[in-house]
């Protein structure tokens, strides 16, 4: 580039040549800018977005009309981003008074029609740690009755499963038994690395909406984005410590009113952190996901934490994890994360 500057100085007397060289200079800058952005996309950190509790987290507490309006808003924001998303369904949220509701099924279809792949999140959001294995397996089978057909209609296979509460079983035996069951039913378990308490912000946000406090809703929304940013930075740090590199991350958020308002702002923040959005399939190709995992504790935690616990990391390894602000917890009436 400096060579071009000196050439311009020498040819100042010839305006035509000067213009020509300037054009070459501009073209060179543009090429350089392009190659820089191509390089940065190559080295960008990668993340897959997964959304749980479809069609809507509070489906059992709202009318079908309200559910439709919140879900449509969220889906339109996902479409604007044009990023790959997998959404995990609880089929009991498709029912009204214990019967499958066709309007709700149509709402679920809009996810598929928008290019969002669906996965099984059990029928009624039971915990693998809280019920007998047979009951949990029954909840898995009951959770695929509608979505399997909807996907087959579109030539798609139902292939992903997400454990509710990220709990996989109280013992290695139980965890292995469920994993084998899932494998036999052609499911791939969808882990989460960027786990977070977005659900608490969501409860607080719904409460602010109920009391019609738009100032509070805005405050919670802004707090949510800042909190998620700190969580992402925390798990990047954990990835560095555990793998000496940035693994393909998998983010968990929920289908809720909060994201129907803030999904685009959330995605912009993630992009500003240097991320490129990838499919879940691509994320899982990272060898990190073959790491040994023998965790059977009570908490539903990030797979980064599970791998770290399996490697007997001490308490210091998990220090400085961002917490949900107390006023958000109080608004949501939640005692612990
Ligand atoms: Zn869930």
């Amino acid at each position: 580039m400096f060579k071009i500057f000196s050439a311009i100085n020498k040819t100042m007397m010839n305006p035509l040549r000067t213009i020509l060289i300037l054009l070459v200079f501009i073209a060179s800058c543009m090429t350089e800018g392009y190659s820089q952005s191509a390089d940065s996309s190559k080295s960008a950190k990668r993340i897959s977005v997964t959304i749980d509790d479809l069609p809507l987290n509070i489906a059992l507490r709202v009318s079908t009309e309200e559910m439709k309006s919140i879900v449509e808003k969220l889906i339109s924001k996902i479409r604007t981003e044009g990023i790959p998303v997998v959404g995990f369904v609880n089929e009991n949220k498709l029912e009204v008074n214990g019967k499958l509701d066709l309007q709700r099924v149509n709402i679920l279809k809009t996810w598929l029609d928008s290019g969002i792949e669906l996965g099984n999140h059990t029928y009624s959001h039971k915990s693998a740690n809280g019920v007998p294995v047979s009951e949990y397996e029954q909840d898995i089978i009951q959770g695929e009755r509608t979505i399997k057909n909807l996907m087959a209609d579109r030539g798609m296979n139902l292939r992903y499963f997400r454990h509710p509460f990220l709990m996989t079983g109280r013992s290695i035996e139980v965890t292995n038994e469920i994993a084998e069951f899932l494998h036999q039913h052609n499911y791939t378990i969808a882990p989460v690395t960027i786990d977070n308490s977005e659900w608490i912000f969501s409860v607080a946000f719904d409460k602010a909406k109920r009391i019609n406090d738009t100032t509070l809703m805005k405050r919670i929304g802004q707090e949510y984005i800042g909190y998620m940013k700190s969580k992402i930075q925390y798990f990047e740090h954990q990835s560095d410590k555990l793998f000496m590199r940035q693994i393909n991350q998998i983010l968990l958020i929920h289908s809720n009113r909060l994201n129907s308002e803030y999904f685009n702002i959330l995605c912009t923040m993630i992009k500003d952190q240097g991320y490129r959005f990838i499919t879940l399939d691509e994320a899982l190709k990272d060898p990190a996901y073959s790491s040994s995992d023998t965790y059977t504790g009570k908490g539903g935690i990030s797979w980064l934490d599970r791998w770290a616990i399996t490697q007997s990391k001490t308490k210091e390894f998990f220090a400085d994890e961002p917490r949900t602000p107390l006023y958000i917890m109080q608004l949501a009436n939640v005692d612990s994360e």
Side-chain angles (χ1 to χ4, degrees), residues 274-285:
Y275 280 93
R276 182 163 71 80
F277 294 101
I278 57 171
T279 62
L280 182 55
D281 195 38
E282 200 180 340
L284 291 174
K285 285 178 184 153

Side-chain angles (χ1 to χ4, degrees), residues 1-11:
M1 178 151 338
F2 294 108
K3 279 180 195 162
I4 294 172
F5 274 123
S6 70
I8 291 170
N9 285 336
K10 281 178 198 161
T11 54

Side-chain angles (χ1 to χ4, degrees), residues 116-130:
I116 296 157
E117 181 168 352
L118 300 182
N120 186 344
H121 191 40
T122 73
Y123 168 75
S124 63
H125 214 276
K126 283 178 181 165
S127 156
N129 290 22

Side-chain angles (χ1 to χ4, degrees), residues 52-53 90 93 121 125 162-165 252 254:
D52 282 10
D53 299 3
N90 299 126
K93 295 185 171 79
H121 191 40
H125 214 276
R162 163 73 45 76
H163 284 287
F165 311 105
L252 163 63
H254 293 83

Side-chain angles (χ1 to χ4, degrees), residues 69-121:
S69 105
I70 300 170
V71 169
E72 277 179 355
K73 211 168 177 181
L74 173 58
I75 289 178
S76 81
K77 290 200 160 59
I78 297 171
R79 289 178 84 131
T80 310
E81 291 299 324
I83 62 169
V85 165
V86 178
F88 291 88
V89 182
N90 299 126
E91 288 203 10
N92 71 335
K93 295 185 171 79
L94 299 174
E95 295 177 359
V96 176
N97 299 324
K99 282 182 74 181
L100 190 67
D101 183 85
L102 289 182
Q103 270 182 288
R104 291 188 169 215
V105 173
N106 284 334
I107 295 170
L108 192 65
K109 280 182 190 169
T110 57
W111 288 87
L112 282 168
D113 293 338
S114 306
I116 296 157
E117 181 168 352
L118 300 182
N120 186 344
H121 191 40

Side-chain angles (χ1 to χ4, degrees), residues 16-47:
L16 198 67
R17 279 190 70 187
T18 307
I19 289 167
L20 208 69
I21 286 165
L22 269 172
L23 283 173
V24 170
F25 173 67
I26 291 164
S28 149
C29 288
M30 286 172 75
T31 313
E32 202 154 287
Y34 172 78
S35 71
Q36 262 172 15
S37 69
D39 283 345
S40 67
S41 84
K42 232 187 269 172
S43 63
K45 293 172 280 187
R46 306 196 291 177
I47 190 166

